[in-house]
Amino acid sequence: MKNLGILISGRGSNFAAIAKNIVAGKIRNARISLVISNRQQAQGLEVARRLGLETRVIDSRDKEREVHDREMAAALESKQVDLICLAGYMRLLSPWFIKQFPQRILNIHPSLLPAFPGLEAQQQAFAYGVKIAGCTVHFVDEELDHGPVVVQRSVPVLDTDDEHALRERILEQEHIAYSEAIDLVVNGRFRIVGRRLVGEAA
Ligand code: GRF
């Protein structure tokens, strides 16, 4: 059984989907050991408490990045977390933190990377006029929205869409993609060749 540590800053719908999919057996051999928010008001904290999960608020305000990250690392290590899942965690991680957990941090980004990294990816994609949008779950490395891709899911952009409709359509796929990625990383046989995650036969 692998221990997951979830990092959130806000709504936490991706986290809620992960929790649901563990119960549903779609993510095998994993449990959520700790949910950390860097913001006291994150709605996701309420969801976590309702589910009876252990939560920690490690406030990042006025804290140097690495100081904050060291507090998070200590909390994660105290729960023997194997895999860290960023789920709407809206703060850059320090290089120090990333080095502590090589290939043990996942992030979800609401675009088909490498298109539209950074903030407001859905808005960027909509404004650019792409016909296919989507989301990416990737390992975290020192560059923003950059590490090896684990899962991508695409959605069409419809002529009738506005930004909100596109955002919602992508979010639905995020909720599926993140669980697929976690299940793969926890249970799959793969290696990373360059940037490519390549499956190995069992
Ligand atoms: C999602 O769109 C995710 O891709 C991005 O931030 C948003 C978080 O939403 N990184 P939620 O907090 O999981 O509902």
Side-chain angles (χ1 to χ4, degrees):
M1 190 59 88
K2 298 284 183 190
N3 294 324
L4 307 181
I6 312 270
L7 269 48
I8 62 170
S9 299
R11 179 180 56 182
S13 73
N14 275 288
F15 146 62
I18 293 166
K20 182 172 139 228
N21 284 332
I22 289 176
V23 173
K26 291 184 184 161
I27 302 173
R28 297 157 298 161
N29 304 316
R31 61 174 164 232
I32 296 173
S33 302
L34 183 59
V35 179
I36 299 179
S37 172
N38 67 319
R39 293 178 56 240
Q40 182 90 51
Q41 324 85 300
Q43 288 163 256
L45 283 169
E46 258 320 297
V47 179
R49 288 181 191 124
R50 247 182 282 135
L51 292 170
L53 295 169
E54 187 164 337
T55 61
R56 285 276 305 270
V57 175
I58 303 182
D59 204 316
S60 57
R61 262 175 318 175
D62 306 323
K63 236 181 247 166
E64 208 214 303
R65 199 179 303 287
E66 193 177 310
V67 171
H68 177 250
D69 285 0
R70 281 180 187 273
E71 284 179 44
M72 292 204 298
L76 293 161
E77 270 152 12
S78 77
K79 302 303 292 180
Q80 291 163 337
V81 162
D82 299 292
L83 184 66
I84 299 163
C85 303
L86 310 184
Y89 180 71
M90 299 306 286
R91 196 169 199 248
L92 286 175
L93 292 166
S94 60
W96 176 84
F97 186 92
I98 293 165
K99 279 203 198 78
Q100 298 306 299
F101 303 100
Q103 273 174 34
R104 287 170 58 203
I105 312 172
L106 290 176
N107 181 42
I108 185 150
H109 183 73
S111 77
L112 294 172
L113 289 171
F116 314 121
L119 290 175
E120 295 297 341
Q122 307 95 324
Q123 188 187 329
Q124 292 185 56
F126 186 77
Y128 194 91
V130 296
K131 298 296 184 190
I132 308 273
C135 61
T136 305
V137 183
H138 63 93
F139 282 113
V140 170
D141 67 7
E142 271 91 351
E143 282 178 60
L144 179 68
D145 299 329
H146 178 266
V149 172
V150 182
V151 169
Q152 290 189 304
R153 292 182 75 93
S154 62
V155 302
V157 183
L158 307 180
D159 291 351
T160 49
D161 274 347
D162 57 15
E163 239 178 75
H164 175 76
L166 180 60
R167 191 180 290 275
E168 288 300 307
R169 190 175 307 117
I170 294 172
L171 189 63
E172 260 176 45
Q173 297 305 310
E174 290 184 40
H175 294 165
I176 300 168
Y178 217 157
S179 295
E180 286 179 349
I182 294 169
D183 186 62
L184 174 65
V185 169
V186 169
N187 299 298
R189 291 170 61 87
F190 63 85
R191 69 208 147 98
I192 294 178
V193 185
R195 291 187 44 86
R196 300 181 59 238
L197 183 138
V198 186
E200 285 180 342

